[in-house]
Amino acid sequence: MKVTESRRIPEVFDAVVIPFDDKLTLLPQTEALLPERLLLPVRAALREKKADGFCAGPYAQDVYDEKLDRSRRFVLIGLGNGSLTNRELFLRLAKALQSCKAVKAGVTAVLLDNAGAILKKPAVLEKLCELPYLVSYQFNAYRSAPVENGMKEMVLVTEQEGLEPVLEEAGHVAMSTRMARDLVNHPSMYMTPVRFAGEMERMAAENGLEITVYGPKEMQEMKMGAFLSVARGSKEEPRLIVLRYCGGKADEAPIALVGKSVMFDSGGYSLKSKMATMHDDMGGGAAVAGAIRAIAAQKLPVNVVAVMAACKNMVSGDAYVPGDILFSMNGKTIEMLNSDAEGRLTLADAITYAIRKEGAERIIDIATLTGAAKGAVGARSAAVIAGDETLYEAMKKASEDSCEKIWRLPADQELFEVLRSEVADLKNSNPGNTMGGGTIVAGLFIREFTEGKPWIHVDMAPVNWLAEGNSYSIRGGTGYGVSLLYETVKNLL
C-alpha cells in the first residue's frame, strides 16, 4: 500500500472519496477534477443527500462506465463544521475508506480540498495518511488462500504544499502499527519469548536500534525474582528484551517505554475460564516495539529505551502458586495471592531494570493489565493512571492527535490498603476484595516500583484486541498504543 499526493485525479482509478463540510457543497475546483461520467451521478446523489443528510456515515454508490467497461465507486462523507474531534473525523474517514476496501478498489483518490479548511489540521492530515495502511491491513500468515482486499494506492488530490513530511511520518507510524498487529496476531505456538526476541533483533537491525537480550541466567544474576516466578511454569525460556534509540544528547537520560509481554496467559493456578485469545497479552510489548521503531524511523531527537519482559504464564509442576513469596529486583517482597495478576509482577522487575540499569528518569508503562479496565472506562478507551502531571499532559495531547483514546482514573491511595500484606512488603492482589477499583489497585502496585520517578501507566486491556473488526482494523490485534506512545514522546521534546 502506498500513499501519494497529486494535483489531479489519476488517469486510472477505482474509487473517489469526496469529503464535505456542513454546507455539503461540491466546490468548483472539485467539479473540475471529476470526469463528466462521474460528475453527473455525484451531483444527483448530492442533491438527494442534502435533503436527509449523510454526516453520520458515508454514502457510497457504484457507477458503471461504459467507455471503460468497468464500475467506479464514489463515496461522499460529511465532516461537519470543524467542531468534530480528531477521533470523530478519523472514524468518518475510516468508514469512507472501508467502503472502498469492500469493492476491492485498487486506486482510491481523496479530493482533499473539498473540505480543505477541516483537513488542513496537521494532526488530522497525518492520521488520514495513516488510514490506508490501517484499513488495508490483512493477517495472512496462516491462511492457505490469502485474503486479498485489492487496496494498493491512495492518492491525496490537493493544492496544499508541503505534504511530503506528513506522508513520510504517517508511513512510519502506520507501518509500525501494522508490525504491532502482526506480533499480537501470531499465536503463542509461534510467538514464543525466544521468537519475539528474534523478531526484535531483526527489527533493530533494520532500524538502527541497539538491542540486548537477556536469558534466565542473567536475570537471576539481576535478582529479577518477580518476573522469573511468572515464567517458571512454562517450558519456554523467558527473555528480557531491551531496545535503545539514541537520538538525543549523550548525557540525556532516556525515556523508558515498558510493555507487558506475556506471550500467553493461562492465569497460572488462578486459571482463566476463557483463553482462546490470550496470546494478545503481549500487546504492551508490541506497542512499545512499534513506538520505538517509529521514533527511530522519524529520527526524533530523544533517547528512548524500550523494555519487554517476555514469558508465558502457564500451569505445571514448577509453576508458582498462590501464597508464594516473591523477591523482586527492587528488593521488595511480594505475597503472590493471584497468579492471574501476573502482568504487574513482570512490569515491576522491568521498570526496576529500566531505572537501575538504563538510567531512565521518566517511565511510561503500557499493559493489557486488568479486565476491570473495560468496566471502568468502556471498550473504546485505555485507562490511565498518572503519577506526573507533565507526562499526563503530554499523553493527553497525544491521545487527541493519535486518535487513540485514554481515560484518566485517580491514583486513589486509600485503595492501596488492599495491597498491604502481613507476611511481605505487599500483595500482588487481594482476592475477595470488596473495595473494587481493580484497575486503580493494579496501577498503585506498579507505582511501588517506580522509585519516585515521573511515571504514567496505560491499561490497554479494553482496546488491544477486537472480537469483531471495525472501520480501521480487522478482527484481532489493533496495534493500539504505537501512535499514542510515539506522539507522547514527541510532545516531551
Side-chain angles (χ1 to χ4, degrees):
M1 187 71 190
K2 69 176 181 176
V3 184
T4 59
E5 62 170 316
S6 174
R7 293 177 181 268
R8 301 179 58 81
I9 291 179
E11 195 169 313
V12 178
F13 67 94
D14 303 290
V16 60
V17 175
I18 309 175
F20 294 85
D21 60 20
D22 60 338
K23 296 177 182 177
L24 302 182
T25 301
L26 193 64
L27 298 178
Q29 58 265 41
T30 303
E31 287 195 355
L33 292 168
L34 292 167
E36 189 68 22
R37 292 184 297 276
L38 192 57
L39 181 58
L40 293 176
V42 167
R43 283 174 177 162
L46 193 55
R47 283 195 299 270
E48 175 189 343
K49 289 300 162 184
K50 274 187 177 181
D52 57 9
F54 56 91
C55 287
Y59 170 81
Q61 184 175 320
D62 295 323
V63 176
Y64 180 69
D65 189 327
E66 292 184 359
K67 182 177 180 180
L68 297 177
D69 191 23
R70 62 187 296 187
S71 289
R72 287 172 166 170
R73 169 158 289 200
F74 67 87
V75 184
L76 311 181
I77 180 72
L79 302 181
N81 61 5
S83 63
L84 296 179
T85 66
N86 289 356
R87 168 83 176 176
E88 288 168 332
L89 291 171
F90 173 76
L91 291 176
R92 291 191 180 187
L93 289 165
K95 287 179 181 178
L97 292 187
Q98 182 71 29
S99 174
C100 300
K101 179 181 180 179
V103 295
K104 303 184 185 297
V107 179
T108 297
V110 181
L111 307 190
L112 212 59
D113 294 344
N114 203 62
I118 295 170
L119 295 180
K120 280 180 180 175
K121 297 179 181 179
V124 174
L125 262 181
E126 199 275 333
K127 291 307 292 187
L128 168 62
C129 296
E130 285 184 41
L131 272 172
Y133 302 99
L134 302 181
V135 173
S136 65
Y137 173 83
Q138 295 290 158
F139 186 68
N140 286 317
Y142 303 97
R143 291 180 178 271
S144 57
V147 174
E148 299 291 344
N149 59 50
M151 296 184 78
K152 293 181 174 60
E153 182 178 1
M154 186 176 87
V155 181
L156 301 178
V157 183
T158 179
E159 296 289 328
Q160 293 186 45
E161 300 287 347
L163 278 188
E164 293 88 350
V166 176
L167 294 177
E168 183 177 50
E169 183 176 22
H172 294 154
V173 176
M175 292 306 293
S176 298
T177 301
R178 286 170 61 112
M179 181 195 77
R181 288 180 178 181
D182 282 346
L183 292 170
V184 171
N185 285 332
H186 278 293
S188 67
M189 60 180 282
Y190 174 88
M191 194 57 67
T192 64
V194 171
R195 187 70 62 89
F196 185 35
E199 294 285 343
M200 293 299 95
E201 287 173 336
R202 281 188 286 277
M203 188 271 283
E206 291 169 358
N207 292 277
L209 297 167
E210 297 178 10
I211 184 168
T212 302
V213 178
Y214 297 101
K217 182 179 178 182
E218 294 94 339
M219 287 183 265
Q220 287 168 357
E221 291 171 353
M222 289 187 282
K223 299 182 179 180
M224 303 182 81
F227 172 38
L228 288 171
S229 292
V230 178
R232 209 170 71 201
S234 175
K235 68 176 184 179
E236 304 281 359
E237 283 195 352
R239 291 291 185 269
L240 181 71
I241 306 160
V242 182
L243 293 165
R244 304 179 193 88
Y245 169 70
C246 304
K249 297 176 182 177
D251 60 349
E252 179 183 291
I255 300 168
L257 306 178
V258 182
K260 177 184 174 184
S261 304
V262 176
M263 313 307 290
F264 186 85
D265 181 19
S266 71
Y269 275 97
S270 304
L271 196 66
K272 289 181 180 293
S273 59
K274 296 180 181 179
M275 45 181 122
T277 61
M278 287 315 298
H279 58 280
D280 82 322
D281 214 22
M282 47 76 70
V288 302
I292 199 170
R293 178 191 185 276
I295 289 165
Q298 194 63 17
K299 296 181 173 59
L300 296 186
V302 64
N303 296 330
V304 178
V305 57
V307 183
M308 295 152 278
C311 68
K312 291 186 178 183
N313 184 27
M314 304 294 282
V315 176
S316 77
D318 292 327
Y320 68 158
V321 297
D324 283 354
I325 306 297
L326 314 184
F327 298 83
S328 72
M329 182 181 180
N330 172 281
K332 293 180 178 179
T333 56
I334 304 163
E335 182 184 9
M336 193 283 285
L337 295 178
N338 182 353
S339 62
D340 196 25
E342 87 298 334
R344 65 199 72 179
L345 300 174
T346 67
L347 289 171
D349 279 349
I351 288 171
T352 302
Y353 172 88
I355 293 169
R356 297 189 179 181
K357 299 295 186 180
E358 299 294 330
E361 287 294 330
R362 290 174 286 183
I363 314 294
I364 303 171
D365 81 78
I366 183 167
T368 49
L369 208 63
T370 67
K374 185 175 180 179
V377 304
R380 297 293 183 268
S381 298
V384 165
I385 296 172
D388 181 80
E389 291 306 309
T390 299
L391 280 179
Y392 175 69
E393 289 301 321
M395 184 168 284
K396 181 181 177 183
K397 184 178 185 305
S399 174
E400 295 167 359
D401 291 344
S402 69
C403 301
E404 295 189 332
K405 292 168 69 176
I406 61 170
W407 192 329
R408 187 177 188 178
L409 298 178
D412 186 352
Q413 186 62 25
E414 193 170 348
L415 294 178
F416 186 78
E417 293 302 313
V418 303
L419 295 177
R420 298 193 186 279
S421 170
E422 295 180 355
V423 297
D425 293 325
L426 68 164
K427 303 172 184 175
N428 79 320
S429 181
N430 188 352
N433 163 37
T434 59
M435 293 180 69
T439 301
I440 296 172
V441 169
L444 294 175
F445 178 92
I446 294 169
R447 190 179 66 180
E448 290 296 294
F449 298 88
T450 59
E451 302 187 15
K453 305 294 184 186
W455 158 80
I456 192 167
H457 162 64
V458 182
D459 190 333
M460 65 187 296
V463 287
N464 180 58
W465 180 274
L466 283 176
E468 298 178 356
N470 63 17
S471 57
Y472 61 91
S473 180
I474 62 171
R475 177 191 181 276
T478 62
Y480 179 95
V482 173
S483 186
L484 177 71
L485 295 176
Y486 171 81
E487 295 290 345
T488 300
V489 170
K490 254 178 70 173
N491 291 339
L492 290 172
L493 296 178

